[in-house]
Tab-separated table of all heavy atoms in Angstrom:
chain	number	residue	atom	x	y	z
A	36	LEU	N	2.872	-31.337	0.413
A	36	LEU	CA	1.568	-31.446	-0.275
A	36	LEU	C	1.372	-30.223	-1.151
A	36	LEU	O	1.749	-29.074	-0.926
A	36	LEU	CB	0.449	-31.414	0.818
A	36	LEU	CG	0.557	-32.588	1.762
A	36	LEU	CD1	-0.554	-32.374	2.933
A	36	LEU	CD2	0.175	-33.816	1.089
A	37	TRP	N	0.606	-30.422	-2.221
A	37	TRP	CA	0.275	-29.363	-3.165
A	37	TRP	C	-0.557	-28.238	-2.466
A	37	TRP	O	-1.374	-28.589	-1.700
A	37	TRP	CB	-0.403	-29.899	-4.400
A	37	TRP	CG	0.373	-30.767	-5.163
A	37	TRP	CD1	0.609	-32.159	-4.968
A	37	TRP	CD2	1.066	-30.454	-6.411
A	37	TRP	NE1	1.344	-32.603	-6.044
A	37	TRP	CE2	1.688	-31.608	-6.873
A	37	TRP	CE3	1.245	-29.251	-7.131
A	37	TRP	CZ2	2.451	-31.603	-8.016
A	37	TRP	CZ3	1.924	-29.258	-8.262
A	37	TRP	CH2	2.545	-30.479	-8.733
A	38	PHE	N	-0.363	-27.054	-2.948
A	38	PHE	CA	-1.198	-25.854	-2.521
A	38	PHE	C	-1.091	-25.435	-1.086
A	38	PHE	O	-1.356	-24.262	-0.826
A	38	PHE	CB	-2.585	-26.091	-2.856
A	38	PHE	CG	-2.906	-26.443	-4.279
A	38	PHE	CD1	-3.379	-27.728	-4.651
A	38	PHE	CD2	-2.648	-25.492	-5.256
A	38	PHE	CE1	-3.602	-27.998	-6.030
A	38	PHE	CE2	-2.845	-25.788	-6.649
A	38	PHE	CZ	-3.355	-27.023	-7.004
A	39	SER	N	-0.829	-26.310	-0.154
A	39	SER	CA	-0.897	-25.870	1.231
A	39	SER	C	0.290	-24.891	1.499
A	39	SER	O	0.119	-23.873	2.453
A	39	SER	CB	-0.634	-27.043	2.137
A	39	SER	OG	0.495	-27.825	1.859
A	40	GLY	N	1.341	-24.816	0.745
A	40	GLY	CA	2.403	-23.769	0.910
A	40	GLY	C	1.906	-22.454	0.767
A	40	GLY	O	2.478	-21.486	1.278
A	41	GLN	N	0.907	-22.201	-0.023
A	41	GLN	CA	0.244	-20.880	-0.354
A	41	GLN	C	-0.150	-20.246	1.048
A	41	GLN	O	0.083	-19.144	1.386
A	41	GLN	CB	-0.905	-20.913	-1.248
A	41	GLN	CG	-0.481	-21.492	-2.585
A	41	GLN	CD	-1.608	-21.677	-3.573
A	41	GLN	OE1	-2.801	-21.335	-3.257
A	41	GLN	NE2	-1.340	-22.293	-4.685
A	42	GLY	N	-0.831	-21.165	1.872
A	42	GLY	CA	-1.375	-20.691	3.238
A	42	GLY	C	-0.115	-20.412	4.143
A	42	GLY	O	-0.264	-19.507	4.862
A	43	TYR	N	0.875	-21.231	4.118
A	43	TYR	CA	2.104	-21.060	4.899
A	43	TYR	C	2.635	-19.740	4.648
A	43	TYR	O	3.073	-18.930	5.556
A	43	TYR	CB	3.071	-22.116	4.808
A	43	TYR	CG	2.565	-23.614	4.923
A	43	TYR	CD1	3.172	-24.575	4.176
A	43	TYR	CD2	1.459	-23.887	5.645
A	43	TYR	CE1	2.682	-25.821	4.304
A	43	TYR	CE2	0.945	-25.185	5.756
A	43	TYR	CZ	1.587	-26.190	5.071
A	43	TYR	OH	1.143	-27.463	5.170
A	44	CYS	N	2.846	-19.423	3.324
A	44	CYS	CA	3.468	-18.130	2.916
A	44	CYS	C	2.594	-16.877	3.370
A	44	CYS	O	3.096	-15.956	3.882
A	44	CYS	CB	3.674	-18.095	1.368
A	44	CYS	SG	4.875	-19.265	0.788
A	45	PHE	N	1.303	-17.068	3.205
A	45	PHE	CA	0.407	-15.995	3.605
A	45	PHE	C	0.502	-15.765	5.140
A	45	PHE	O	0.645	-14.539	5.565
A	45	PHE	CB	-1.041	-16.326	3.272
A	45	PHE	CG	-2.074	-15.443	3.834
A	45	PHE	CD1	-2.304	-14.109	3.418
A	45	PHE	CD2	-2.819	-15.852	4.942
A	45	PHE	CE1	-3.182	-13.283	4.082
A	45	PHE	CE2	-3.670	-15.070	5.539
A	45	PHE	CZ	-3.960	-13.702	5.093
A	46	ALA	N	0.520	-16.800	5.911
A	46	ALA	CA	0.607	-16.672	7.332
A	46	ALA	C	1.915	-16.002	7.798
A	46	ALA	O	1.911	-15.193	8.596
A	46	ALA	CB	0.410	-18.057	8.069
A	47	LEU	N	3.028	-16.484	7.196
A	47	LEU	CA	4.358	-15.972	7.533
A	47	LEU	C	4.406	-14.428	7.126
A	47	LEU	O	4.934	-13.595	7.884
A	47	LEU	CB	5.407	-16.744	6.880
A	47	LEU	CG	5.634	-18.106	7.313
A	47	LEU	CD1	6.611	-18.971	6.389
A	47	LEU	CD2	6.118	-18.191	8.873
A	48	ALA	N	3.778	-14.061	5.976
A	48	ALA	CA	3.688	-12.656	5.579
A	48	ALA	C	2.932	-11.828	6.689
A	48	ALA	O	3.326	-10.710	7.013
A	48	ALA	CB	3.122	-12.569	4.271
A	49	ARG	N	1.834	-12.422	7.113
A	49	ARG	CA	1.021	-11.761	8.132
A	49	ARG	C	1.825	-11.588	9.489
A	49	ARG	O	1.505	-10.550	10.114
A	49	ARG	CB	-0.349	-12.493	8.357
A	49	ARG	CG	-1.247	-12.577	7.265
A	49	ARG	CD	-2.043	-11.322	7.187
A	49	ARG	NE	-2.949	-11.148	8.311
A	49	ARG	CZ	-3.532	-10.025	8.711
A	49	ARG	NH1	-3.409	-8.973	8.013
A	49	ARG	NH2	-4.396	-9.996	9.712
A	50	PHE	N	2.544	-12.452	9.873
A	50	PHE	CA	3.326	-12.255	11.089
A	50	PHE	C	4.377	-11.200	10.945
A	50	PHE	O	4.581	-10.459	11.849
A	50	PHE	CB	4.043	-13.631	11.432
A	50	PHE	CG	3.133	-14.848	11.602
A	50	PHE	CD1	3.711	-16.089	11.657
A	50	PHE	CD2	1.735	-14.718	11.955
A	50	PHE	CE1	2.918	-17.206	11.733
A	50	PHE	CE2	0.974	-15.765	12.073
A	50	PHE	CZ	1.544	-17.066	11.989
A	51	CYS	N	5.031	-11.267	9.798
A	51	CYS	CA	5.838	-10.111	9.374
A	51	CYS	C	7.067	-9.779	10.272
A	51	CYS	O	7.278	-8.570	10.586
A	51	CYS	CB	4.966	-8.849	9.072
A	51	CYS	SG	5.690	-7.675	7.957
A	52	THR	N	7.742	-10.790	10.683
A	52	THR	CA	8.973	-10.581	11.483
A	52	THR	C	10.234	-11.095	10.780
A	52	THR	O	10.085	-11.778	9.733
A	52	THR	CB	8.832	-11.284	12.877
A	52	THR	OG1	8.882	-12.720	12.674
A	52	THR	CG2	7.520	-10.963	13.560
A	53	GLU	N	11.286	-10.883	11.385
A	53	GLU	CA	12.576	-11.282	10.876
A	53	GLU	C	12.652	-12.885	10.762
A	53	GLU	O	13.137	-13.480	9.924
A	53	GLU	CB	13.727	-10.878	11.761
A	53	GLU	CG	15.129	-11.202	11.301
A	53	GLU	CD	15.561	-10.548	10.069
A	53	GLU	OE1	14.941	-9.347	9.678
A	53	GLU	OE2	16.513	-11.061	9.418
A	54	GLU	N	12.021	-13.524	11.806
A	54	GLU	CA	11.922	-14.933	11.861
A	54	GLU	C	11.193	-15.554	10.651
A	54	GLU	O	11.543	-16.560	10.013
A	54	GLU	CB	11.341	-15.501	13.100
A	54	GLU	CG	12.162	-15.228	14.347
A	54	GLU	CD	11.326	-15.634	15.564
A	54	GLU	OE1	11.311	-16.849	15.833
A	54	GLU	OE2	10.872	-14.791	16.249
A	55	ASP	N	10.134	-14.820	10.241
A	55	ASP	CA	9.369	-15.224	9.170
A	55	ASP	C	10.109	-15.096	7.871
A	55	ASP	O	10.049	-15.907	6.959
A	55	ASP	CB	8.037	-14.452	9.120
A	55	ASP	CG	7.279	-14.583	10.411
A	55	ASP	OD1	7.019	-15.689	10.892
A	55	ASP	OD2	7.088	-13.448	11.023
A	56	ALA	N	10.798	-13.998	7.818
A	56	ALA	CA	11.608	-13.743	6.542
A	56	ALA	C	12.751	-14.778	6.468
A	56	ALA	O	12.983	-15.301	5.321
A	56	ALA	CB	12.324	-12.342	6.669
A	57	LEU	N	13.209	-15.267	7.520
A	57	LEU	CA	14.229	-16.379	7.507
A	57	LEU	C	13.653	-17.684	7.076
A	57	LEU	O	14.277	-18.359	6.218
A	57	LEU	CB	14.831	-16.558	8.815
A	57	LEU	CG	15.675	-15.377	9.352
A	57	LEU	CD1	16.269	-15.570	10.726
A	57	LEU	CD2	16.900	-15.146	8.405
A	58	HIS	N	12.400	-18.007	7.408
A	58	HIS	CA	11.721	-19.143	6.913
A	58	HIS	C	11.574	-19.040	5.402
A	58	HIS	O	11.850	-20.054	4.700
A	58	HIS	CB	10.392	-19.350	7.609
A	58	HIS	CG	10.474	-20.005	8.960
A	58	HIS	ND1	11.055	-21.236	9.237
A	58	HIS	CD2	10.114	-19.433	10.158
A	58	HIS	CE1	10.998	-21.450	10.547
A	58	HIS	NE2	10.410	-20.421	11.163
Side-chain angles (χ1 to χ4, degrees):
L36 299 173
W37 292 84
F38 303 113
S39 55
Q41 297 172 10
Y43 309 151
C44 291
F45 169 74
L47 293 170
R49 290 280 294 163
F50 303 159
C51 203
T52 70
E53 183 70 19
E54 292 175 77
D55 306 305
L57 294 176
H58 283 298

